[in-house]
mmCIF file of all heavy atoms in Angstrom:
data_model
loop_
_atom_site.group_PDB
_atom_site.id
_atom_site.type_symbol
_atom_site.label_atom_id
_atom_site.label_comp_id
_atom_site.label_asym_id
_atom_site.label_seq_id
_atom_site.Cartn_x
_atom_site.Cartn_y
_atom_site.Cartn_z
ATOM 1 N N ARG A 568 11.190 -16.727 -18.378
ATOM 2 C CA ARG A 568 11.321 -16.573 -16.891
ATOM 3 C C ARG A 568 12.460 -17.403 -16.345
ATOM 4 O O ARG A 568 12.376 -17.961 -15.294
ATOM 5 C CB ARG A 568 10.002 -16.999 -16.255
ATOM 6 C CG ARG A 568 8.815 -16.113 -16.663
ATOM 7 C CD ARG A 568 7.607 -16.415 -15.929
ATOM 8 N NE ARG A 568 6.475 -15.616 -16.336
ATOM 9 C CZ ARG A 568 5.278 -15.678 -15.883
ATOM 10 N NH1 ARG A 568 4.919 -16.571 -14.945
ATOM 11 N NH2 ARG A 568 4.276 -14.862 -16.329
ATOM 12 N N LYS A 574 20.689 -13.708 -17.249
ATOM 13 C CA LYS A 574 21.831 -12.823 -16.748
ATOM 14 C C LYS A 574 23.131 -13.308 -17.298
ATOM 15 O O LYS A 574 23.999 -12.562 -17.701
ATOM 16 C CB LYS A 574 21.824 -12.859 -15.273
ATOM 17 C CG LYS A 574 22.866 -11.897 -14.689
ATOM 18 C CD LYS A 574 22.788 -11.913 -13.154
ATOM 19 C CE LYS A 574 23.715 -10.819 -12.560
ATOM 20 N NZ LYS A 574 25.110 -10.955 -13.010
ATOM 21 N N PRO A 622 15.466 12.790 -26.334
ATOM 22 C CA PRO A 622 14.316 12.797 -25.441
ATOM 23 C C PRO A 622 13.791 11.383 -25.228
ATOM 24 O O PRO A 622 13.245 11.063 -24.153
ATOM 25 C CB PRO A 622 13.307 13.660 -26.193
ATOM 26 C CG PRO A 622 14.164 14.639 -27.031
ATOM 27 C CD PRO A 622 15.340 13.792 -27.413
ATOM 28 N N LYS A 754 -18.236 -5.402 -0.910
ATOM 29 C CA LYS A 754 -19.057 -6.597 -1.159
ATOM 30 C C LYS A 754 -18.978 -6.969 -2.631
ATOM 31 O O LYS A 754 -18.949 -8.128 -2.978
ATOM 32 C CB LYS A 754 -20.508 -6.330 -0.696
ATOM 33 C CG LYS A 754 -20.660 -6.400 0.842
ATOM 34 C CD LYS A 754 -22.186 -6.232 1.160
ATOM 35 C CE LYS A 754 -22.412 -6.373 2.630
ATOM 36 N NZ LYS A 754 -23.879 -6.245 2.963
ATOM 37 N N ALA A 781 -21.625 -5.035 15.031
ATOM 38 C CA ALA A 781 -21.906 -6.445 15.035
ATOM 39 C C ALA A 781 -21.475 -7.079 13.658
ATOM 40 O O ALA A 781 -20.909 -8.164 13.627
ATOM 41 C CB ALA A 781 -23.383 -6.691 15.287
#
Side-chain angles (χ1 to χ4, degrees):
R568 299 183 181 180
K574 187 176 185 306
K754 284 183 175 180

